[in-house]
Amino acid sequence: MLKTISKMAVIGLSFISFSTLAEPHPVTPGPQITQELIDELTIADQVLFDAVFNNCDLKASHKLVTKDFEMYHDKWGKTASSGAEFLQGIRNMCKRRKDGSDINARRELITDSVKIYPLNHYGAIQTGTHVFYGIYDDKTEVLRESGQFTHLWQKVNGKWKLARVLSFDHQPATQSAQ
C-alpha cells in the first residue's frame, strides 16, 4: 500500500511539474506599428504644435486636446488637469507674446528621434525629442532649448487628440543639438 501511494505521489508530482511548463495564458505581441499610424501621428503632432505653440491658434487648439487632458512638465510640475486649463495656459502665453512680455518661439520636432507605440482600443504613445527656437523682432531665430516628450494620443471619432503629456529633460541647446 505504501509503495502504491509513493508511486502515485511521484506520478502526481511529475504531472504537476509538467503542467506548470504549459502556459495557461500564452504571451502574445502587442499591436504592430503601421505606416498609416506613423503618418497620422506625424500630421497630428505638426497640426497640434503649429496651432498651440507656433501660431497661437486658439480656435484650432480647442479641437486637438481631450477634455480630461493632463500635462506634466519638469520645470513647472503639473501644468494642466483638463483641456480647458491647458487652453487657458496657451491663451495666457499667447497674450504675453503679443504684449512683448514673453518671447515668440517655435517648436521643431526631431523626426528621427520619434518612436510610436500603438495602444489597442485607445490610440498611441509617441516619444521623442524636440527643440525650441526664440524668434526675435528682426525675425532672427535662435535655438534655445531641447527637451524630451512622451505624448499619449487618443483617437476620438476618427480624429487624434492629445490626452497626456510628459515634457522633461529640458536643456539649454546649442546649434549642434539638431
Side-chain angles (χ1 to χ4, degrees):
M1 171 112 170
L2 191 55
K3 283 185 179 181
T4 304
I5 292 175
S6 293
K7 284 181 184 177
M8 289 175 59
V10 168
I11 292 171
L13 286 174
S14 296
F15 178 74
I16 290 171
S17 296
F18 178 74
S19 67
T20 59
L21 295 176
E23 286 190 53
H25 304 284
V27 176
T28 59
Q32 299 301 302
I33 187 75
T34 64
Q35 189 60 50
E36 180 182 13
L37 178 61
I38 292 168
D39 294 345
E40 287 179 6
L41 280 186
T42 300
I43 291 167
D45 179 275
Q46 186 65 51
V47 168
L48 176 83
F49 275 92
D50 279 349
V52 170
F53 196 81
N54 297 342
N55 300 323
C56 284
D57 184 345
L58 296 171
K59 187 175 181 178
S61 300
H62 177 75
K63 299 173 187 175
L64 302 172
V65 296
T66 62
K67 288 181 182 181
D68 67 343
F69 176 89
E70 289 182 345
M71 182 171 176
Y72 301 87
H73 197 285
D74 61 346
K75 293 182 186 180
W76 303 295
K78 187 174 186 180
T79 60
S81 296
S82 68
E85 186 177 6
F86 174 72
L87 293 171
Q88 183 60 48
I90 297 304
R91 197 172 288 111
N92 294 341
M93 176 193 71
C94 295
K95 183 180 177 199
R96 289 189 312 272
R97 286 180 176 180
K98 192 171 186 175
D99 71 20
S101 62
D102 201 348
I103 190 169
N104 284 316
R106 180 177 67 82
R107 179 260 196 175
E108 185 177 299
L109 178 65
I110 306 301
T111 53
D112 64 351
S113 73
V114 175
K115 293 184 180 177
I116 295 172
Y117 306 92
L119 295 173
N120 279 333
H121 316 295
Y122 188 85
I125 296 169
Q126 174 195 30
T127 66
T129 301
H130 45 198
V131 293
F132 299 91
Y133 292 85
I135 304 172
Y136 296 91
D137 291 340
D138 65 357
K139 306 297 181 206
T140 302
E141 291 189 8
V142 175
L143 182 60
R144 294 178 52 95
E145 181 176 61
S146 66
Q148 305 297 313
F149 67 90
T150 299
H151 291 164
L152 176 61
W153 291 91
Q154 183 178 18
K155 199 162 194 181
V156 180
N157 297 324
K159 304 284 183 195
W160 287 101
K161 293 187 173 202
L162 194 56
R164 302 290 182 275
V165 172
L166 301 174
S167 187
F168 55 96
D169 193 30
H170 289 90
Q171 302 293 324
T174 64
Q175 292 298 332
S176 63
Q178 289 193 43

Short mmCIF file of all heavy atoms in Angstrom, two decimals, residues 107-159:
data_model
loop_
_atom_site.label_atom_id
_atom_site.label_comp_id
_atom_site.label_asym_id
_atom_site.label_seq_id
_atom_site.Cartn_x
_atom_site.Cartn_y
_atom_site.Cartn_z
N ARG A 107 8.50 75.58 -32.06
CA ARG A 107 8.93 74.22 -31.70
C ARG A 107 9.19 73.44 -32.97
O ARG A 107 8.46 73.55 -33.95
CB ARG A 107 7.80 73.55 -30.90
CG ARG A 107 8.09 72.10 -30.48
CD ARG A 107 7.44 71.10 -31.38
NE ARG A 107 7.40 69.76 -30.79
CZ ARG A 107 6.80 68.73 -31.34
NH1 ARG A 107 6.19 68.86 -32.48
NH2 ARG A 107 6.81 67.55 -30.76
N GLU A 108 10.26 72.64 -32.95
CA GLU A 108 10.59 71.78 -34.07
C GLU A 108 10.82 70.37 -33.57
O GLU A 108 11.60 70.15 -32.64
CB GLU A 108 11.84 72.32 -34.77
CG GLU A 108 12.20 71.57 -36.04
CD GLU A 108 13.39 72.20 -36.72
OE1 GLU A 108 13.31 73.39 -37.11
OE2 GLU A 108 14.43 71.51 -36.84
N LEU A 109 10.16 69.43 -34.19
CA LEU A 109 10.31 68.02 -33.86
C LEU A 109 11.56 67.47 -34.53
O LEU A 109 11.82 67.73 -35.71
CB LEU A 109 9.08 67.25 -34.36
CG LEU A 109 9.06 65.75 -34.15
CD1 LEU A 109 9.01 65.42 -32.65
CD2 LEU A 109 7.85 65.15 -34.85
N ILE A 110 12.36 66.71 -33.78
CA ILE A 110 13.50 65.99 -34.36
C ILE A 110 12.94 64.66 -34.85
O ILE A 110 12.74 63.71 -34.08
CB ILE A 110 14.63 65.79 -33.33
CG1 ILE A 110 15.05 67.12 -32.71
CG2 ILE A 110 15.81 65.07 -33.97
CD1 ILE A 110 15.56 68.15 -33.70
N THR A 111 12.63 64.60 -36.14
CA THR A 111 11.84 63.49 -36.68
C THR A 111 12.48 62.12 -36.49
O THR A 111 11.77 61.15 -36.25
CB THR A 111 11.52 63.71 -38.17
OG1 THR A 111 12.73 63.96 -38.89
CG2 THR A 111 10.58 64.88 -38.35
N ASP A 112 13.80 62.04 -36.58
CA ASP A 112 14.42 60.71 -36.43
C ASP A 112 14.49 60.25 -34.98
O ASP A 112 14.93 59.14 -34.71
CB ASP A 112 15.78 60.65 -37.12
CG ASP A 112 16.83 61.57 -36.52
OD1 ASP A 112 16.48 62.41 -35.66
OD2 ASP A 112 18.00 61.47 -36.92
N SER A 113 14.04 61.08 -34.03
CA SER A 113 14.02 60.66 -32.63
C SER A 113 12.67 60.05 -32.23
O SER A 113 12.54 59.46 -31.16
CB SER A 113 14.28 61.87 -31.71
OG SER A 113 13.15 62.74 -31.68
N VAL A 114 11.68 60.17 -33.08
CA VAL A 114 10.31 59.79 -32.73
C VAL A 114 10.14 58.28 -32.75
O VAL A 114 10.58 57.59 -33.67
CB VAL A 114 9.30 60.45 -33.69
CG1 VAL A 114 7.89 59.97 -33.41
CG2 VAL A 114 9.37 61.96 -33.57
N LYS A 115 9.45 57.80 -31.73
CA LYS A 115 9.03 56.39 -31.65
C LYS A 115 7.54 56.41 -31.34
O LYS A 115 7.07 57.22 -30.54
CB LYS A 115 9.80 55.63 -30.58
CG LYS A 115 11.25 55.48 -30.91
CD LYS A 115 11.97 54.64 -29.90
CE LYS A 115 13.44 54.52 -30.30
NZ LYS A 115 14.20 53.78 -29.34
N ILE A 116 6.82 55.49 -31.95
CA ILE A 116 5.37 55.42 -31.77
C ILE A 116 5.01 53.99 -31.39
O ILE A 116 5.51 53.03 -31.99
CB ILE A 116 4.64 55.85 -33.07
CG1 ILE A 116 4.94 57.33 -33.33
CG2 ILE A 116 3.14 55.60 -32.96
CD1 ILE A 116 4.44 57.85 -34.66
N TYR A 117 4.12 53.88 -30.41
CA TYR A 117 3.68 52.59 -29.91
C TYR A 117 2.14 52.58 -29.89
O TYR A 117 1.53 53.33 -29.12
CB TYR A 117 4.21 52.35 -28.49
CG TYR A 117 5.71 52.50 -28.40
CD1 TYR A 117 6.29 53.72 -28.07
CD2 TYR A 117 6.55 51.43 -28.67
CE1 TYR A 117 7.67 53.87 -27.99
CE2 TYR A 117 7.93 51.57 -28.59
CZ TYR A 117 8.48 52.79 -28.25
OH TYR A 117 9.84 52.94 -28.18
N PRO A 118 1.51 51.75 -30.72
CA PRO A 118 0.05 51.71 -30.74
C PRO A 118 -0.52 51.12 -29.45
O PRO A 118 0.11 50.27 -28.81
CB PRO A 118 -0.28 50.83 -31.93
CG PRO A 118 0.98 50.18 -32.37
CD PRO A 118 2.12 50.85 -31.69
N LEU A 119 -1.69 51.59 -29.06
CA LEU A 119 -2.43 51.08 -27.91
C LEU A 119 -3.81 50.62 -28.39
O LEU A 119 -4.62 51.46 -28.83
CB LEU A 119 -2.63 52.16 -26.84
CG LEU A 119 -1.39 52.71 -26.16
CD1 LEU A 119 -1.77 53.89 -25.26
CD2 LEU A 119 -0.74 51.62 -25.33
N ASN A 120 -4.06 49.33 -28.32
CA ASN A 120 -5.36 48.81 -28.75
C ASN A 120 -6.50 49.53 -28.04
O ASN A 120 -6.42 49.81 -26.85
CB ASN A 120 -5.46 47.31 -28.47
CG ASN A 120 -4.78 46.48 -29.54
OD1 ASN A 120 -4.65 46.91 -30.68
ND2 ASN A 120 -4.32 45.30 -29.16
N HIS A 121 -7.55 49.79 -28.79
CA HIS A 121 -8.81 50.34 -28.26
C HIS A 121 -8.65 51.71 -27.61
O HIS A 121 -9.48 52.12 -26.82
CB HIS A 121 -9.46 49.37 -27.26
CG HIS A 121 -9.46 47.96 -27.72
ND1 HIS A 121 -10.16 47.52 -28.83
CD2 HIS A 121 -8.81 46.87 -27.25
CE1 HIS A 121 -9.95 46.24 -29.00
NE2 HIS A 121 -9.14 45.81 -28.06
N TYR A 122 -7.55 52.43 -27.92
CA TYR A 122 -7.38 53.76 -27.35
C TYR A 122 -6.69 54.70 -28.33
O TYR A 122 -7.25 55.70 -28.74
CB TYR A 122 -6.57 53.71 -26.04
CG TYR A 122 -6.55 55.06 -25.34
CD1 TYR A 122 -7.60 55.42 -24.49
CD2 TYR A 122 -5.52 55.96 -25.56
CE1 TYR A 122 -7.63 56.66 -23.88
CE2 TYR A 122 -5.53 57.21 -24.93
CZ TYR A 122 -6.58 57.55 -24.10
OH TYR A 122 -6.59 58.78 -23.50
N GLY A 123 -5.44 54.43 -28.68
CA GLY A 123 -4.69 55.35 -29.51
C GLY A 123 -3.25 54.94 -29.64
O GLY A 123 -2.94 53.84 -30.09
N ALA A 124 -2.34 55.81 -29.17
CA ALA A 124 -0.92 55.53 -29.33
C ALA A 124 -0.09 56.39 -28.37
O ALA A 124 -0.54 57.44 -27.92
CB ALA A 124 -0.48 55.78 -30.77
N ILE A 125 1.12 55.91 -28.12
CA ILE A 125 2.12 56.66 -27.36
C ILE A 125 3.16 57.14 -28.37
O ILE A 125 3.59 56.37 -29.23
CB ILE A 125 2.78 55.78 -26.28
CG1 ILE A 125 1.76 55.34 -25.25
CG2 ILE A 125 3.95 56.52 -25.63
CD1 ILE A 125 2.26 54.25 -24.32
N GLN A 126 3.55 58.40 -28.24
CA GLN A 126 4.59 58.97 -29.09
C GLN A 126 5.67 59.53 -28.17
O GLN A 126 5.37 60.24 -27.22
CB GLN A 126 4.00 60.10 -29.94
CG GLN A 126 5.01 60.87 -30.75
CD GLN A 126 4.44 62.18 -31.28
OE1 GLN A 126 3.58 62.78 -30.68
NE2 GLN A 126 4.94 62.61 -32.42
N THR A 127 6.92 59.19 -28.44
CA THR A 127 8.04 59.74 -27.68
C THR A 127 9.03 60.36 -28.65
O THR A 127 9.06 60.01 -29.83
CB THR A 127 8.78 58.66 -26.86
OG1 THR A 127 9.40 57.74 -27.76
CG2 THR A 127 7.84 57.91 -25.93
N GLY A 128 9.83 61.28 -28.14
CA GLY A 128 10.85 61.86 -28.99
C GLY A 128 11.52 63.07 -28.37
O GLY A 128 11.36 63.36 -27.18
N THR A 129 12.26 63.75 -29.20
CA THR A 129 12.98 64.96 -28.82
C THR A 129 12.47 66.11 -29.68
O THR A 129 12.17 65.93 -30.86
CB THR A 129 14.49 64.77 -29.08
OG1 THR A 129 14.96 63.65 -28.33
CG2 THR A 129 15.29 66.01 -28.69
N HIS A 130 12.38 67.27 -29.05
CA HIS A 130 12.06 68.47 -29.81
C HIS A 130 12.95 69.61 -29.34
O HIS A 130 13.52 69.56 -28.26
CB HIS A 130 10.58 68.85 -29.77
CG HIS A 130 9.94 68.80 -28.42
ND1 HIS A 130 8.58 68.74 -28.26
CD2 HIS A 130 10.44 68.82 -27.16
CE1 HIS A 130 8.27 68.73 -26.98
NE2 HIS A 130 9.38 68.77 -26.30
N VAL A 131 13.08 70.62 -30.21
CA VAL A 131 13.88 71.80 -29.89
C VAL A 131 13.00 73.03 -30.05
O VAL A 131 11.99 73.01 -30.76
CB VAL A 131 15.14 71.91 -30.79
CG1 VAL A 131 16.11 70.79 -30.49
CG2 VAL A 131 14.79 71.95 -32.25
N PHE A 132 13.39 74.09 -29.34
CA PHE A 132 12.61 75.31 -29.33
C PHE A 132 13.52 76.48 -29.72
O PHE A 132 14.63 76.62 -29.21
CB PHE A 132 12.01 75.54 -27.94
CG PHE A 132 11.09 74.43 -27.55
CD1 PHE A 132 11.55 73.32 -26.86
CD2 PHE A 132 9.75 74.48 -27.90
CE1 PHE A 132 10.71 72.28 -26.51
CE2 PHE A 132 8.88 73.44 -27.56
CZ PHE A 132 9.37 72.34 -26.86
N TYR A 133 13.02 77.29 -30.62
CA TYR A 133 13.73 78.47 -31.11
C TYR A 133 13.06 79.72 -30.57
O TYR A 133 11.83 79.81 -30.55
CB TYR A 133 13.69 78.53 -32.64
CG TYR A 133 14.47 77.45 -33.31
CD1 TYR A 133 13.92 76.19 -33.54
CD2 TYR A 133 15.77 77.69 -33.74
CE1 TYR A 133 14.65 75.20 -34.17
CE2 TYR A 133 16.50 76.69 -34.37
CZ TYR A 133 15.93 75.45 -34.58
OH TYR A 133 16.66 74.46 -35.20
N GLY A 134 13.84 80.69 -30.18
CA GLY A 134 13.34 82.01 -29.87
C GLY A 134 13.31 82.81 -31.16
O GLY A 134 14.23 82.73 -31.96
N ILE A 135 12.22 83.56 -31.36
CA ILE A 135 12.09 84.38 -32.56
C ILE A 135 12.10 85.84 -32.12
O ILE A 135 11.25 86.26 -31.33
CB ILE A 135 10.78 84.07 -33.32
CG1 ILE A 135 10.71 82.56 -33.65
CG2 ILE A 135 10.68 84.91 -34.59
CD1 ILE A 135 9.37 82.12 -34.22
N TYR A 136 13.05 86.58 -32.64
CA TYR A 136 13.25 87.96 -32.21
C TYR A 136 12.58 88.94 -33.17
O TYR A 136 12.11 88.54 -34.25
CB TYR A 136 14.74 88.22 -32.03
CG TYR A 136 15.28 87.34 -30.92
CD1 TYR A 136 15.80 86.07 -31.21
CD2 TYR A 136 15.18 87.72 -29.59
CE1 TYR A 136 16.23 85.23 -30.18
CE2 TYR A 136 15.62 86.90 -28.57
CZ TYR A 136 16.14 85.66 -28.87
OH TYR A 136 16.56 84.82 -27.87
N ASP A 137 12.52 90.21 -32.79
CA ASP A 137 11.81 91.23 -33.56
C ASP A 137 12.28 91.30 -35.01
O ASP A 137 11.49 91.55 -35.92
CB ASP A 137 11.96 92.61 -32.91
CG ASP A 137 11.19 92.69 -31.59
OD1 ASP A 137 10.27 91.88 -31.38
OD2 ASP A 137 11.53 93.57 -30.78
N ASP A 138 13.55 91.07 -35.25
CA ASP A 138 14.07 91.12 -36.62
C ASP A 138 13.86 89.79 -37.35
O ASP A 138 14.42 89.56 -38.42
CB ASP A 138 15.54 91.50 -36.62
CG ASP A 138 16.44 90.46 -35.96
OD1 ASP A 138 15.93 89.44 -35.43
OD2 ASP A 138 17.67 90.66 -35.98
N LYS A 139 13.05 88.89 -36.76
CA LYS A 139 12.70 87.56 -37.31
C LYS A 139 13.85 86.57 -37.25
O LYS A 139 13.76 85.47 -37.78
CB LYS A 139 12.17 87.65 -38.75
CG LYS A 139 11.00 88.60 -38.91
CD LYS A 139 9.81 88.13 -38.11
CE LYS A 139 8.65 89.10 -38.33
NZ LYS A 139 7.72 89.12 -37.24
N THR A 140 14.93 86.92 -36.57
CA THR A 140 16.04 86.00 -36.36
C THR A 140 15.56 84.90 -35.41
O THR A 140 14.90 85.17 -34.41
CB THR A 140 17.24 86.72 -35.72
OG1 THR A 140 17.63 87.79 -36.57
CG2 THR A 140 18.40 85.78 -35.49
N GLU A 141 15.91 83.66 -35.73
CA GLU A 141 15.59 82.53 -34.87
C GLU A 141 16.87 82.01 -34.24
O GLU A 141 17.87 81.80 -34.93
CB GLU A 141 14.92 81.40 -35.66
CG GLU A 141 13.53 81.75 -36.13
CD GLU A 141 12.79 80.56 -36.72
OE1 GLU A 141 13.30 79.40 -36.63
OE2 GLU A 141 11.71 80.78 -37.27
N VAL A 142 16.82 81.79 -32.93
CA VAL A 142 17.97 81.28 -32.21
C VAL A 142 17.53 80.03 -31.44
O VAL A 142 16.56 80.06 -30.68
CB VAL A 142 18.53 82.33 -31.23
CG1 VAL A 142 19.66 81.75 -30.40
CG2 VAL A 142 18.99 83.56 -31.99
N LEU A 143 18.26 78.94 -31.64
CA LEU A 143 17.99 77.70 -30.92
C LEU A 143 18.23 77.94 -29.44
O LEU A 143 19.31 78.38 -29.05
CB LEU A 143 18.90 76.59 -31.45
CG LEU A 143 18.72 75.21 -30.85
CD1 LEU A 143 17.31 74.68 -31.08
CD2 LEU A 143 19.74 74.26 -31.47
N ARG A 144 17.22 77.68 -28.61
CA ARG A 144 17.31 77.99 -27.19
C ARG A 144 17.32 76.75 -26.30
O ARG A 144 17.97 76.74 -25.27
CB ARG A 144 16.15 78.89 -26.78
CG ARG A 144 16.20 80.26 -27.41
CD ARG A 144 15.02 81.11 -27.02
NE ARG A 144 14.81 81.18 -25.59
CZ ARG A 144 15.27 82.15 -24.79
NH1 ARG A 144 15.97 83.13 -25.29
NH2 ARG A 144 14.99 82.13 -23.51
N GLU A 145 16.56 75.74 -26.66
CA GLU A 145 16.34 74.65 -25.70
C GLU A 145 15.96 73.37 -26.42
O GLU A 145 15.36 73.40 -27.49
CB GLU A 145 15.19 75.09 -24.77
CG GLU A 145 14.83 74.12 -23.69
CD GLU A 145 13.75 74.70 -22.77
OE1 GLU A 145 12.65 75.00 -23.25
OE2 GLU A 145 14.04 74.84 -21.59
N SER A 146 16.32 72.25 -25.81
CA SER A 146 15.86 70.95 -26.29
C SER A 146 15.14 70.25 -25.14
O SER A 146 15.34 70.60 -23.97
CB SER A 146 17.03 70.09 -26.77
OG SER A 146 17.87 69.76 -25.69
N GLY A 147 14.32 69.29 -25.46
CA GLY A 147 13.61 68.54 -24.43
C GLY A 147 13.10 67.22 -24.98
O GLY A 147 13.06 67.00 -26.19
N GLN A 148 12.72 66.37 -24.06
CA GLN A 148 12.13 65.07 -24.39
C GLN A 148 10.63 65.15 -24.12
O GLN A 148 10.17 65.94 -23.30
CB GLN A 148 12.74 63.97 -23.52
CG GLN A 148 14.25 63.89 -23.58
CD GLN A 148 14.74 63.54 -24.95
OE1 GLN A 148 14.25 62.63 -25.60
NE2 GLN A 148 15.73 64.29 -25.42
N PHE A 149 9.87 64.29 -24.79
CA PHE A 149 8.44 64.26 -24.53
C PHE A 149 7.90 62.84 -24.68
O PHE A 149 8.46 62.01 -25.39
CB PHE A 149 7.68 65.21 -25.47
CG PHE A 149 7.72 64.78 -26.91
CD1 PHE A 149 6.75 63.94 -27.43
CD2 PHE A 149 8.74 65.22 -27.74
CE1 PHE A 149 6.79 63.54 -28.76
CE2 PHE A 149 8.79 64.83 -29.07
CZ PHE A 149 7.81 63.98 -29.58
N THR A 150 6.83 62.60 -23.98
CA THR A 150 6.01 61.42 -24.15
C THR A 150 4.57 61.91 -24.25
O THR A 150 4.09 62.60 -23.35
CB THR A 150 6.15 60.43 -22.97
OG1 THR A 150 7.52 60.02 -22.88
CG2 THR A 150 5.25 59.22 -23.15
N HIS A 151 3.93 61.61 -25.37
CA HIS A 151 2.55 62.02 -25.60
C HIS A 151 1.66 60.79 -25.67
O HIS A 151 2.02 59.80 -26.33
CB HIS A 151 2.41 62.78 -26.92
CG HIS A 151 3.07 64.11 -26.91
ND1 HIS A 151 3.35 64.80 -28.07
CD2 HIS A 151 3.50 64.90 -25.90
CE1 HIS A 151 3.92 65.96 -27.77
NE2 HIS A 151 4.04 66.03 -26.46
N LEU A 152 0.53 60.88 -25.01
CA LEU A 152 -0.50 59.85 -25.11
C LEU A 152 -1.60 60.42 -25.98
O LEU A 152 -2.25 61.41 -25.60
CB LEU A 152 -1.03 59.47 -23.73
CG LEU A 152 -2.19 58.48 -23.70
CD1 LEU A 152 -1.79 57.14 -24.33
CD2 LEU A 152 -2.68 58.28 -22.28
N TRP A 153 -1.76 59.85 -27.15
CA TRP A 153 -2.77 60.28 -28.11
C TRP A 153 -3.98 59.36 -28.04
O TRP A 153 -3.82 58.14 -27.96
CB TRP A 153 -2.22 60.24 -29.53
CG TRP A 153 -1.17 61.25 -29.82
CD1 TRP A 153 0.19 61.10 -29.69
CD2 TRP A 153 -1.37 62.57 -30.33
NE1 TRP A 153 0.84 62.24 -30.07
CE2 TRP A 153 -0.10 63.16 -30.47
CE3 TRP A 153 -2.50 63.31 -30.67
CZ2 TRP A 153 0.07 64.46 -30.96
CZ3 TRP A 153 -2.33 64.59 -31.16
CH2 TRP A 153 -1.07 65.16 -31.29
N GLN A 154 -5.16 59.96 -28.12
CA GLN A 154 -6.40 59.18 -28.14
C GLN A 154 -7.09 59.45 -29.47
O GLN A 154 -7.19 60.60 -29.91
CB GLN A 154 -7.32 59.59 -26.99
CG GLN A 154 -8.58 58.76 -26.92
CD GLN A 154 -9.45 59.16 -25.74
OE1 GLN A 154 -9.31 60.22 -25.16
NE2 GLN A 154 -10.38 58.29 -25.39
N LYS A 155 -7.56 58.39 -30.11
CA LYS A 155 -8.31 58.56 -31.35
C LYS A 155 -9.79 58.61 -30.99
O LYS A 155 -10.36 57.64 -30.49
CB LYS A 155 -8.01 57.43 -32.34
CG LYS A 155 -8.39 57.79 -33.76
CD LYS A 155 -7.72 56.88 -34.76
CE LYS A 155 -7.85 57.46 -36.15
NZ LYS A 155 -7.22 56.57 -37.13
N VAL A 156 -10.40 59.77 -31.24
CA VAL A 156 -11.80 60.02 -30.88
C VAL A 156 -12.57 60.31 -32.16
O VAL A 156 -12.29 61.31 -32.84
CB VAL A 156 -11.91 61.22 -29.91
CG1 VAL A 156 -13.35 61.47 -29.52
CG2 VAL A 156 -11.04 61.01 -28.68
N ASN A 157 -13.52 59.43 -32.48
CA ASN A 157 -14.33 59.61 -33.70
C ASN A 157 -13.46 59.86 -34.93
O ASN A 157 -13.73 60.75 -35.74
CB ASN A 157 -15.33 60.76 -33.51
CG ASN A 157 -16.32 60.47 -32.41
OD1 ASN A 157 -16.74 59.34 -32.22
ND2 ASN A 157 -16.68 61.50 -31.67
N GLY A 158 -12.38 59.08 -35.03
CA GLY A 158 -11.50 59.16 -36.19
C GLY A 158 -10.50 60.30 -36.17
O GLY A 158 -9.72 60.44 -37.10
N LYS A 159 -10.50 61.11 -35.12
CA LYS A 159 -9.58 62.26 -35.00
C LYS A 159 -8.63 62.03 -33.84
O LYS A 159 -9.02 61.54 -32.78
CB LYS A 159 -10.36 63.56 -34.75
CG LYS A 159 -11.42 63.87 -35.78
CD LYS A 159 -10.80 64.39 -37.03
CE LYS A 159 -11.90 64.77 -38.00
NZ LYS A 159 -11.45 64.94 -39.33
#
